[in-house]
Amino acid sequence: MDDTRNLVRLLRAADQRMSRATLSRESHDRIRTELTAAGRPGPRRLSTMVPAPAGVAALCGALCGAAALWLVLQLIGRPSEAPESTAVRATGFAWQGDGQRCSAAARAGSLTLDGQCHIQAEQHGISIASRGQAEIVRVEDGVRLARGTAEFEVAHRPRRDPVRVWVSAGAIEVTGTRFIVEQSREGGHVDLLEGSIRFRAKDGTVTQVRPGTRFNWADRGSAPSPGAPPAAVPSPPTAAAVDTRAADRDHAAPSPTTEPPPTPPARARSSGTSAARLIERVEVLRAQRRYQEAIDLLRQSRGQSWDPHTAEVLSVEEGDLLDRVGDSARACAHWRTHAKQFPAGSYREAVRTALSRPNCR
Amino acid sequence: MTRQLALVSDEAETTPDVEALYARYAQRVYRWALRFGGGNIAWAEDITQDVFMSLVKRAPALDDPQQLGGWFYRVTANRCLNELRRQRLSRAFAAALHSMRGAEPDPRPAPDVAIIERGELDAALQAIARLPPAERVAFCMRHLDDLPQQEIGKILGYSKGHVSRLLKRAGSRLRKTGWSVDDG
């Protein structure tokens, strides 16, 4: 047979080539940081210290863990790749930035961040941590998140005007708190981790958001003018909804401070759009290795009336994530339930394989 | 990295730190993972991290921290095997997601994650990638590391007979797709 079809020879040639490959410096840094954090005595991740069903609290824990990792990076004197500080300064925002795998580009007064960037808008006392790509614009009374996902932390501002984080459907008014905002073309949401915020819609409607809850909005028109008064923009976020999450869902439902009241929680709705959003969110969390949060998110979605195929897909993903975090007991229990629930499902072979593992028998 | 990991708690002179172990074994682990992962850089990096996290967790129970080459090989091979199994589920999930979004998944690997360029070598890696995970790992161990079947079984937790069946099945599948699997 022709040598080019001799698999073993070709594999050895490929192996020879791969043997010259080396870990990138960036990977070395990341792994060393993880090892340092893991080797420290005591609980390695704050998320393990919070009650499992508290989704937002778990999110808090994971974020704190990420912040701790970042801090470790600084303490051990291993400067990570900082965004181009000249680019940051070029925005005229007096922001200072650094972070992991971060790049920044300034254009026409906006700052586009890619990676895990940490920046401070000193004038307003806002610390921002981007997650993936985010475009942030400084406006007179705060900042505007044009797109992407970012965590905001605002120093407490007693007796001062609130800082505003503008999004497509209005502004999040902040007096001192920590929250995560996600803005896409279709809309977005804010998850309040701690403190207190209120959402002022374009029509002036104000909704108070409580810790551990999510406020959703959907876009129907163009993004608001960053500095414009909210009431001057006519179209309200009609699809806005507050979604109380996890354990808080039943007893911490936020109440709007003005009419109209928010529409029913997003959980009550089940559509292709909500499934797609859920899936996208899970994908983002998975990509960020925030597996437990992805699991929590999927668990919260169980009550929705998904179509059978969607329900099966989501269940498979949850099981796979449980395997990923190494929780064999819960993973096996999940796969057993899944097998009963979807006996003729599309993934029955994969589920059978998962259940045939020694620790599942 | 400054923290020391006590591999043997009562013998200071045989207590290597994580940094030393990492410096000594990281590239080896990475290359093994690259091999089992078909040249996927990001995948191999993740495996490398996972293996060293295992080291942190298990280190106190290790017998001889100075002779960890075999331990690293065994843990890497098993970690790769587990990940390849999970990947099968993930791929099914990804396909379902794309289906729900009305788009076909792109079966091609991202160009920036593969270390081997397209061509014959890539075709060989793809042929291996199509094997079930256990067959794939056992095949690599047998033909690239020249490990005897009994040793492969010991590392993966299989009997020699099961390893033999895995290798036969792998060979059969590959021959059906036009490959020769002679040791050459």
Side-chain angles (χ1 to χ4, degrees), chain B:
Chain B
M1 196 181 310
T2 56
R3 185 189 169 274
Q4 284 211 329
L5 178 72
L7 290 172
V8 180
S9 59
D10 54 353
E11 289 181 89
E13 65 276 13
T14 57
T15 306
D17 61 44
V18 171
E19 179 69 36
L21 289 170
Y22 183 79
R24 187 171 172 188
Y25 291 105
Q27 287 299 340
R28 263 186 267 185
V29 169
Y30 176 62
R31 287 167 193 162
W32 289 329
L34 266 180
R35 166 193 295 173
F36 293 128
N40 186 321
I41 294 170
W43 193 86
E45 288 174 352
D46 282 352
I47 292 286
T48 305
Q49 178 171 323
D50 288 347
V51 167
F52 279 92
M53 293 298 274
S54 297
L55 173 71
V56 172
K57 288 177 191 167
R58 307 258 178 94
L62 295 174
D63 293 332
D64 185 357
Q66 300 302 325
Q67 300 295 326
L68 283 174
W71 183 89
F72 275 111
Y73 185 83
R74 180 167 55 79
V75 171
T76 305
N78 280 287
R79 179 71 64 175
C80 287
L81 180 55
N82 289 338
E83 278 305 309
L84 291 171
R85 284 173 171 154
R86 282 174 189 151
Q87 267 187 345
R88 297 180 102 193
L89 284 175
S90 295
R91 276 202 296 271
F93 183 65
L97 296 188
H98 284 279
S99 163
M100 287 166 67
R101 289 172 184 159
E104 286 298 316
D106 186 350
R108 295 170 302 173
D112 59 338
V113 300
I115 202 167
I116 300 291
E117 72 276 18
R118 303 291 167 97
E120 282 297 328
L121 299 186
D122 187 37
L125 290 176
Q126 284 186 19
I128 287 293
R130 280 191 284 270
L131 293 175
E135 291 178 23
R136 173 178 178 170
V137 172
F139 189 91
C140 288
M141 293 170 90
R142 177 74 193 94
H143 293 284
L144 296 179
D145 290 323
D146 295 320
L147 291 183
Q149 293 181 6
Q150 191 160 2
E151 185 66 17
I152 295 170
K154 203 172 158 187
I155 289 170
L156 298 180
Y158 298 143
S159 67
K160 185 184 170 190
H162 186 63
V163 173
S164 176
R165 282 192 291 277
L166 287 175
L167 292 172
K168 274 184 188 166
R169 270 186 246 148
S172 173
R173 284 181 215 274
L174 292 166
R175 285 189 196 93
K176 277 181 189 168
T177 53
W179 291 97
S180 159
V181 289
D182 301 329
D183 258 349

Side-chain angles (χ1 to χ4, degrees), chain A residues 25-318:
Chain A
R25 188 186 163 196
E26 186 182 66
S27 301
H28 273 307
D29 289 348
R30 175 169 58 83
I31 294 172
R32 283 179 158 134
T33 304
E34 289 281 348
L35 289 173
T36 303
R40 197 176 292 119
R44 280 196 304 277
R45 291 178 191 282
L46 289 176
S47 57
T48 61
M49 298 165 65
V50 300
V56 173
L59 187 64
C60 269
L63 290 170
C64 290
L69 284 181
W70 175 77
L71 188 62
V72 166
L73 263 179
Q74 310 309 309
L75 289 175
I76 62 177
R78 192 186 300 282
S80 52
E81 291 178 36
E84 298 81 353
S85 52
T86 49
V88 176
R89 281 196 293 273
T91 62
F93 297 164
W95 282 352
Q96 294 176 343
D98 51 39
Q100 247 183 315
R101 296 179 170 191
C102 171
S103 66
R107 190 179 61 179
S110 74
L111 190 61
T112 302
L113 304 170
D114 193 357
Q116 297 171 32
C117 306
H118 301 261
I119 57 174
Q120 283 94 41
E122 292 169 347
Q123 183 184 345
H124 299 296
I126 308 176
S127 298
I128 304 169
S130 66
R131 304 178 181 287
Q133 287 195 337
E135 185 180 349
I136 296 166
V137 184
R138 180 178 174 269
V139 295
E140 192 178 337
D141 53 355
V143 295
R144 179 166 69 92
L145 179 65
R147 64 183 171 87
T149 306
E151 180 187 348
F152 294 82
E153 184 165 358
V154 179
H156 187 49
R157 300 164 63 87
R159 293 185 294 280
R160 288 175 66 185
D161 289 339
V163 165
R164 291 192 175 87
V165 176
W166 288 86
V167 292
S168 59
I172 299 158
E173 295 184 339
V174 192
T175 54
T177 189
R178 200 157 64 89
F179 56 97
I180 297 173
V181 186
E182 187 168 311
Q183 175 69 60
S184 68
R185 287 181 186 170
E186 298 167 340
H189 61 253
V190 52
D191 288 322
L192 179 58
L193 304 176
E194 57 188 55
S196 173
I197 58 175
R198 54 183 180 262
F199 189 89
R200 186 179 294 277
K202 291 174 180 175
D203 66 348
T205 305
V206 175
T207 304
Q208 193 75 33
V209 184
R210 292 180 182 173
T213 64
R214 169 177 290 187
F215 183 86
N216 298 301
W217 60 87
D219 279 346
R220 290 196 170 176
S222 57
S225 305
V233 186
S235 59
T238 52
V242 175
D243 179 15
T244 58
R245 302 174 72 190
D248 294 329
R249 190 182 300 281
D250 295 325
H251 51 81
S255 55
T257 53
T258 63
E259 292 298 325
T263 52
R267 192 182 185 205
R269 288 176 278 134
S270 178
S271 65
T273 306
S274 57
R277 281 188 183 169
L278 171 66
I279 286 161
E280 278 173 14
R281 184 72 188 139
V282 169
E283 277 189 323
V284 168
L285 290 171
R286 182 188 264 277
Q288 295 171 344
R289 292 171 163 246
R290 293 156 64 188
Y291 303 119
Q292 189 56 53
E293 292 168 55
I295 291 167
D296 291 340
L297 199 58
L298 286 166
R299 292 206 158 170
Q300 289 163 32
S301 76
R302 278 184 191 168
Q304 299 204 28
S305 52
W306 304 114
D307 65 83
H309 180 63
T310 302
E312 184 191 1
V313 167
L314 295 176
S315 174
V316 168
E317 177 67 354
E318 187 180 330

